[in-house]
Amino acid sequence: MGPVENCAVVVIDMINAYDHPDADLLLPSAAKAVPVIVRLIQRARERGVPVIYVNDNFGEWRSHHGEILDTALAGTHANLVEPLRPDDESLFVVKARHSIFYETPLAYLLSQLDIRHVVLCGQVTEQCVLYSALDAHIRHLEVTVPHDAVAHMHDGLAEAALQMMERNMGATICSADSLTL
């Protein structure tokens, strides 16, 4: 794949304590995706590509990104969070629903950074990644989803979600290593 210009890497919901009812379904896929996401983030940082974490607030309305990170790092699956820890240059947006755009300042942030292409990674493929890809598409953003940098709960639904993103939204589905930032 050729170079992606005016892009940002968006890390969805990876700052996670995995203490929710579906965690057991998600953990095996998350464990596979984490090293791929880490490499993608490292490449983005090396090339000066913005890395934006958009993360659920888990219903904690007084929380901010530091508290969300501290809670996840204190959990039993900190090994999946620590490698993805945001650095001082990373941007962080808190969300409360499935889409990274729903009632968040992300669209404004992307416009301020002149971002026209989002590379979506994180979890859950068949939920937050899918809905975020749709919302990016309706905002006329180009979307790339590295299939190996997203985690899922259900194999069949994840595959269907990736197909929907590609066919219905024009998203590029590729491996993270084939992506040139």
Side-chain angles (χ1 to χ4, degrees):
M1 181 175 176
V4 179
E5 296 181 13
N6 294 87
C7 76
V9 172
V10 180
V11 182
I12 303 171
D13 288 339
M14 291 305 293
I15 309 302
N16 196 311
Y18 298 96
D19 62 359
H20 49 83
D22 295 325
D24 288 343
L25 294 171
L26 179 58
L27 282 165
S29 181
K32 289 180 186 175
V34 165
V36 179
I37 297 170
V38 168
R39 288 194 312 270
L40 182 61
I41 290 170
Q42 287 172 338
R43 286 195 349 257
R45 288 176 177 159
E46 288 168 4
R47 290 166 178 78
V49 171
V51 177
I52 306 169
Y53 291 76
V54 183
N55 217 89
D56 200 311
N57 71 352
F58 304 103
E60 298 295 328
W61 292 104
R62 290 181 302 255
S63 64
H64 57 78
H65 74 279
E67 290 175 45
I68 294 168
L69 179 61
D70 290 346
T71 299
L73 289 172
T76 56
H77 300 287
N79 62 309
L80 296 177
V81 179
E82 180 60 41
L84 298 168
R85 178 189 288 265
D87 67 4
D88 291 338
E89 300 298 315
S90 299
L91 303 170
F92 203 102
V93 173
V94 176
K95 70 180 184 69
R97 300 294 293 171
H98 294 83
S99 172
I100 59 178
F101 291 97
Y102 182 74
E103 297 194 5
T104 74
L106 183 62
Y108 180 77
L109 174 61
L110 295 175
S111 72
Q112 291 297 296
L113 297 173
D114 195 30
I115 300 299
R116 295 188 296 276
H117 191 136
V118 290
V119 177
L120 304 179
C121 61
Q123 58 195 17
V124 171
T125 308
E126 63 270 33
Q127 293 176 8
C128 298
V129 176
L130 174 64
Y131 306 145
S132 298
L134 175 60
D135 278 357
H137 173 71
I138 64 174
R139 286 168 173 79
H140 304 285
L141 295 166
E142 292 182 55
V143 177
T144 296
V145 179
H147 59 79
D148 51 350
V150 289
H152 60 274
M153 292 185 287
H154 305 283
D155 291 338
L157 292 177
E159 185 56 39
L162 290 168
Q163 288 177 7
M164 288 173 58
M165 288 182 251
E166 186 173 44
R167 287 185 188 172
N168 298 345
M169 300 165 213
T172 299
I173 308 299
C174 62
S175 69
D177 289 339
S178 71
L179 186 60
T180 305
L181 298 174

